[in-house]
Amino acid sequence: MNRETRRIFRRLSSDASAILGFALLIFFVIVAILAPFIASPPPGRDPYIMPIVTWSSNPLPPSPEHPFGVAGKRDIFYGVVWGTRTAFRVGIIVTLISTALGLLIGSVAGYFGKLWDEILMRITDIFMAIPFLVAAMVLTTILGTGLDKVMMAMTVFSWMGPARLIRGNILQVKEEQFVLAAKALGVSDFSIIIRHVLPNTIFPVLIQASMRMGSLVITAAALSFLGVGAPQGYADWGALLNYARNWMLGGQGEALKYWYMTVFPGVAMVLFVLAWNLVGDALRDAFDPRLRL
Amino acid sequence: MEENNLLLQVQDLKVYFYNEEGQELKAVDGVGFYLRKGETIALVGESGCGKSVTSLAILRLVDSDGKIQGGKILLEGRDLLSLSEREMREVRGRDISMIFQEPSSALNPVYTIGDQIIEAIILHQKLSYRQARKTAEELLRLVGIPEARKRLDEYPHELSGGMKQRAMIAMALSCHPKVLIADEPTTSLDVTIQAQILELIEELQRQLNMGVILITHDLGVVAGMAERVVVMYAGKVVEEGSRWDIFHHPHHPYTWGLLHSIPRLDVKQEKLAIIPGVVPDPLNFPSGCRFRNRCPLEDEVCLTEPSREEIENQHYVYCHHHSQIEVLETRGFSQ
Amino acid sequence: MNNVPLLQVEDLKKYFPIKAGVFRRTVGWVKAVDGVSFEVFPEETLGIVGESGCGKSTLGMTVMRLYEPTAGSIFFQGEDISSLPASQLKGVRRNIQMIFQDPFTSLDPRMHIGSIVEEGMKVHRVASPPEVRRRALDLLEKVGLGAEYFSRYPHEFSGGQRQRIGIARALALNPRLVVADEPVSSLDVSVRSQILNLLKDLKREYQLTYIFISHDLAVVRQICDRVIVMYLGKVVEIADGDTFFSSPSHPYSVALTSAVPVPDPDYEVKRIILSGDVPSPINPPEGCRFHTRCPVAQEVCSQVEPALEEVGENQWVACHFPGSLSWERA
């Protein structure tokens, strides 16, 4: 391990909120990996579809059999556990693709500048001017429901952040003399981007990506909640909240009667977002060159 | 030393910095010198020798990571280190003022030149805005800025580097300070502009009878301006004397090396002398004489710290082997 | 010295557009380099001096083709490289290398110094990987850094050491010509002399030719065989180093040399203090560009631009009244 890596580790391990963030994240990863053992799916069925456990459409409160209760005929515990996998899947895939897309567009705009910059950045501006949630809803309506469609819609509308970030960073790094020095050596533009510019600009983007991971899951949940996201019965935190829609106000005189319908998926979501934000914060502090000594 | 002529005395000043890991950096470690009325002295040394920190400490402007850990700074007999922060603010700008290396970053870009000078004037003198503006105009004229009245209403970015430095000087002089500290005042300027500014500082000093502390790494500037020179290395003074003492009879090997390693315009040097190695890391200064690991005269004696010795009238040196300095003339820094 | 020039620059111009408004229309040009011609002979050190904004750095960058020339030609070993397409520049890059001013930004902070030095050799595939490694180690040794530094990162080095790494990188491809842009101006005095001596030694060892760009005339005096003085994008004087420093001819050269402080309290020259600032290169003065600050300017200077003419052996000056200003040692 080189000195730089050691330094980053030292810094991360001395920060309480970083430890909390990573602990939460590891917890979610374990839950996602062990999902089949924590909440075993009925044999021969798609495990991502929450099995129907009752024929009454009324929610049931937590019981030894259904520790988080039942909503929309389905077990909330099962949904929360398998929903972790969905959350990771949506978060990681959308973040990866949108970041990659943003990187590509931002680097071309930033490095080559001039007309490229002008065209690509105006396109970025247009995309940024469209309200994200509305656009994603429209797009899912056109494409049809389904998790892959949701992810596609979200990807289309979330590459602009990384694109602008990377462009700004590249404009800054491009002025550094080491880029000029590489040109003087005869290094090609492509290798200059890959070997010199990106390594010096990538960290803020990765940090931003980890923070976005959390918010993307919220957006996905919002879409599911609005009914344009995951299909019926899909193990997804947003979909679980969707079941709570009609019961949110509680029964007569008992406002909190159906608390379990919102609290369990809600807490899962909050902790998931918190984990990514804490990790993002911790990474930012660890990589901030100004804090280096 | 005629006591009544003494303007500023720095005695055994210690400024230490502390890093994240709590390690102590002895940036200035027991520095002492004095300044007479109307005199120019130069603090000379390479980056990291503590010359700038010393000057900031005189104004008690060392940033929050650093602490003044000891010593005395006497301005006409009054110890500045014992003043309250409020009393100290009175001293800054009125008794001692400072000009900086980067005039562009020392001037606030959102205020006009006039506003900034007028603010400095009103801060220390009971003048109306009108009177202060008049004074500001006179000051700009004094520092040789053409069309002074028009310039008052201009913003820093509208002025060239040389003009900005002149405006900075005008601001520093606004309350007729007794001491002017000039921290690398011409380092960021071109030679022809540098010549203008140095001329200006000399001229103003004669007119206003100020004491000037010139902080610089440029020995050429020192030779032309300073009456006395204080050479610093790694947080300590290594030699102090008149400019003739320092330039013609240096007695510390570091001073000698420095003088012989600078390229000169007036003669062609076949090969420049070299001081081997690098300035030591402030976390790891050598014990004893801090120059010893780069010094050709080093031996066991150097493990103890050299004391201040007066070798001629008011020419002081901190070196165990100052009497052997002639050896360097024949064999240089090579072993 | 060989009489066939290694590099020949003819009427080179580099203008930068000034853009303004919504449509980024070009509203003017900064004439950074405005018609410069000179030659560089093999194994000489040519100094280019002048104050900030005179175009000396731009000239260096343009000769390197790091900036596209606006007009003019650059012949390197007889071949015009000013219009070579980017794809064919790679071969030229091997022969012309650069040492940069700022040792802190000229090294990629995320690469260790070994790969910084090896990069050029790898790009040009000059040797097998073990051979490249051996040469990189050799070069680091040559510039005074041992093998133990090979896998350290730039931030672990001081300014002087970083400049040594920059020099090793420039020499890795065995260039004929090295353009050094203010290579010592950000270094401390004691380190500066180390680097200057190193540059001298390497020149002898590798038969290098230097274009040495600097604002520091004292440094130029010590290292350069010939000197070019620039003012506002134009050459005002070209002369042999010894001739130039003993009897500069252009009034600007005289003022410039007289303004340099000499580290000797007994040395007194009549400093010629120029009034005012360098005019903007966007609208340079008509006629001789120096006439607005020239102490000996006359009517004609504001109307007719003087051409570069030979005034003495190996001394060319662009002035209507060469030698009319002089400084004497008191």
Side-chain angles (χ1 to χ4, degrees), chain B residues 9 20 52 61 97 123 138 144 160 162 169 189 211 221 238 241 251 263 278 284 289 295-296 330:
Chain B
Q9 259 180 299
E20 245 186 3
S52 287
L61 287 175
S97 54
L123 207 59
E138 279 159 21
S160 68
I169 293 173
L189 304 175
V221 172
V238 295
H251 269 73
V278 292
N284 268 317
C289 173
C295 182
T330 51

Side-chain angles (χ1 to χ4, degrees), chain A residues 262-285:
Chain A
T262 45
V263 165
F264 292 116
V267 165
M269 215 182 295
V270 166
L271 289 182
F272 190 82
V273 174
L274 183 70
W276 282 110
N277 278 350
L278 290 178
V279 166
D281 267 339
L283 291 179
R284 184 181 52 206
D285 290 348

Side-chain angles (χ1 to χ4, degrees), chain A:
Chain A
M1 208 176 354
N2 69 24
R3 293 167 58 158
E4 188 74 5
T5 333
R6 270 208 305 272
R7 190 190 59 77
I8 287 167
F9 264 96
R10 203 177 52 227
R11 194 180 282 281
L12 283 178
S13 57
S14 64
D15 181 357
S17 59
I19 294 172
L20 177 65
F22 281 106
L24 276 173
L25 203 57
I26 290 167
F27 169 74
F28 277 111
V29 170
I30 291 171
V31 169
I33 292 172
L34 298 182
F37 303 102
I38 300 172
S40 48
R45 303 276 289 276
D46 180 0
Y48 286 100
I49 301 296
M50 294 180 278
I52 290 173
V53 293
T54 165
W55 293 110
S56 148
S57 58
N58 282 358
L60 298 174
S63 63
E65 213 176 317
H66 305 294
F68 287 0
V70 172
K73 306 174 197 164
R74 295 162 209 265
D75 182 29
I76 298 180
F77 181 72
Y78 187 96
V80 169
V81 169
W82 283 88
T84 311
R85 282 193 173 196
T86 312
F88 271 115
R89 209 155 52 136
V90 172
I92 289 173
I93 291 178
V94 174
T95 307
L96 276 185
I97 299 177
S98 66
T99 304
L101 198 64
L103 273 181
L104 182 70
I105 291 172
S107 343
V108 170
Y111 188 81
F112 293 104
K114 294 181 185 153
L115 201 61
W116 280 105
D117 188 29
E118 205 61 28
I119 293 169
L120 290 173
M121 281 302 115
R122 290 303 81 77
I123 294 175
T124 312
D125 286 345
I126 292 169
F127 270 86
M128 290 195 91
I130 302 171
F132 172 62
L133 208 58
V134 177
M137 273 175 68
V138 171
L139 206 60
T140 37
T141 325
I142 296 169
L143 296 169
T145 51
L147 208 60
D148 47 342
K149 313 282 181 357
V150 173
M151 292 197 283
M152 230 187 277
M154 292 204 297
T155 308
V156 168
F157 287 100
S158 58
W159 55 268
M160 298 85 76
R164 283 171 65 128
L165 187 67
I166 198 86
R167 170 184 172 266
N169 283 332
I170 286 178
L171 287 183
Q172 209 180 340
V173 171
K174 215 169 71 166
E175 296 304 310
E176 302 277 0
Q177 282 190 343
F178 63 79
V179 171
L180 222 50
K183 272 193 200 171
L185 283 176
V187 183
S188 69
D189 283 341
F190 182 73
S191 335
I192 289 180
I193 296 186
I194 297 292
R195 288 173 55 84
H196 297 286
V197 178
L198 282 185
N200 282 290
T201 51
I202 196 86
F203 284 105
V205 176
L206 294 185
I207 290 156
Q208 196 210 34
S210 90
M211 295 200 164
R212 222 168 26 171
M213 195 88 90
S215 65
L216 279 173
V217 169
I218 294 208
T219 315
L223 289 173
S224 294
F225 180 78
L226 293 168
V228 291
Q232 262 299 316
Y234 202 88
D236 174 66
W237 298 336
L240 281 175
L241 288 175
N242 188 21
Y243 291 132
R245 217 157 46 171
N246 298 326
W247 310 89
M248 259 179 189
L249 296 175
Q252 233 139 35
E254 293 173 279
L256 299 176
K257 188 174 175 193
Y258 302 112
W259 60 272
Y260 49 88
M261 298 183 83
T262 45
V263 165
F264 292 116
V267 165
M269 215 182 295
V270 166
L271 289 182
F272 190 82
V273 174
L274 183 70
W276 282 110
N277 278 350
L278 290 178
V279 166
D281 267 339
L283 291 179
R284 184 181 52 206
D285 290 348
F287 287 114
D288 190 344
R290 276 168 305 181
L291 297 174
R292 202 171 280 172
L293 205 76

Side-chain angles (χ1 to χ4, degrees), chain B residues 2-256:
Chain B
E2 328 81 87
E3 280 297 327
N4 56 343
N5 237 339
L6 270 182
L7 182 56
L8 185 81
Q9 259 180 299
V10 175
Q11 296 173 346
D12 200 27
L13 181 69
K14 292 186 168 121
V15 187
Y16 296 169
F17 286 80
Y18 300 90
N19 69 6
E20 245 186 3
E21 273 106 56
Q23 289 161 302
E24 202 172 49
L25 282 85
K26 299 182 174 177
V28 173
D29 200 13
V31 163
F33 57 87
Y34 58 91
L35 174 71
R36 298 194 197 94
K37 281 180 185 134
E39 182 187 44
T40 301
I41 66 166
L43 294 190
V44 189
E46 298 177 274
S47 53
C49 73
K51 56 190 193 300
S52 287
V53 176
T54 303
S55 67
L56 287 172
I58 293 173
L59 283 166
R60 285 190 26 207
L61 287 175
V62 180
D63 69 39
S64 54
D65 297 339
K67 281 208 171 63
I68 298 178
Q69 293 290 39
K72 279 191 176 134
I73 298 169
L74 304 169
L75 177 68
E76 298 181 311
R78 188 163 71 136
D79 188 359
L80 299 183
L81 295 182
S82 66
L83 299 184
S84 71
E85 184 53 35
R86 231 188 86 190
E87 290 168 312
M88 194 59 214
R89 271 204 298 273
E90 292 277 292
V91 172
R92 288 183 204 131
R94 201 189 56 190
D95 295 329
I96 306 178
S97 54
M98 185 157 179
I99 49 180
F100 298 90
Q101 176 174 355
E102 275 296 333
S104 359
S105 60
L107 288 167
N108 189 333
V110 302
Y111 295 108
T112 62
I113 300 294
D115 286 341
Q116 297 184 55
I117 300 177
I118 291 165
E119 188 196 354
I121 296 172
I122 293 179
L123 207 59
H124 291 294
Q125 295 171 47
K126 288 194 173 50
L127 288 178
S128 69
Y129 180 86
R130 259 254 196 68
Q131 290 167 308
R133 193 178 157 89
K134 215 163 162 193
T135 316
E137 196 185 318
E138 279 159 21
L139 279 166
L140 286 191
R141 215 163 275 140
L142 180 74
V143 297
I145 294 184
E147 302 175 274
R149 184 169 302 170
K150 198 180 120 211
R151 295 290 183 180
L152 278 180
D153 297 316
E154 288 186 347
Y155 288 89
H157 69 92
E158 297 175 82
L159 269 60
S160 68
M163 284 297 156
K164 268 185 244 179
Q165 195 55 289
R166 283 172 192 265
M168 275 291 302
I169 293 173
M171 205 147 77
L173 296 182
S174 61
C175 300
H176 304 293
K178 297 172 182 135
V179 180
L180 177 71
I181 301 175
D183 188 358
E184 304 271 6
T186 56
T187 306
S188 65
L189 304 175
D190 278 320
V191 222
T192 59
I193 309 296
Q194 163 172 291
Q196 295 173 1
I197 298 291
L198 293 179
E199 191 102 329
L200 175 71
I201 294 178
E202 273 186 306
E203 171 66 33
L204 291 171
Q205 175 189 33
R206 262 195 302 276
Q207 266 183 45
L208 308 171
N209 199 30
M210 293 180 292
V212 173
I213 302 178
L214 181 70
I215 291 158
T216 181
H217 68 277
D218 188 333
L219 287 160
V221 172
V222 174
M225 273 188 79
E227 284 148 69
R228 282 185 311 112
V229 183
V230 178
V231 184
M232 289 180 69
Y233 180 80
K236 289 192 180 283
V237 173
V238 295
E239 189 164 2
E240 178 190 344
S242 75
R243 60 172 151 169
W244 284 278
D245 291 339
I246 297 292
F247 283 94
H248 294 333
H249 311 288
H251 269 73
H252 195 286
Y254 177 65
T255 318
W256 191 94

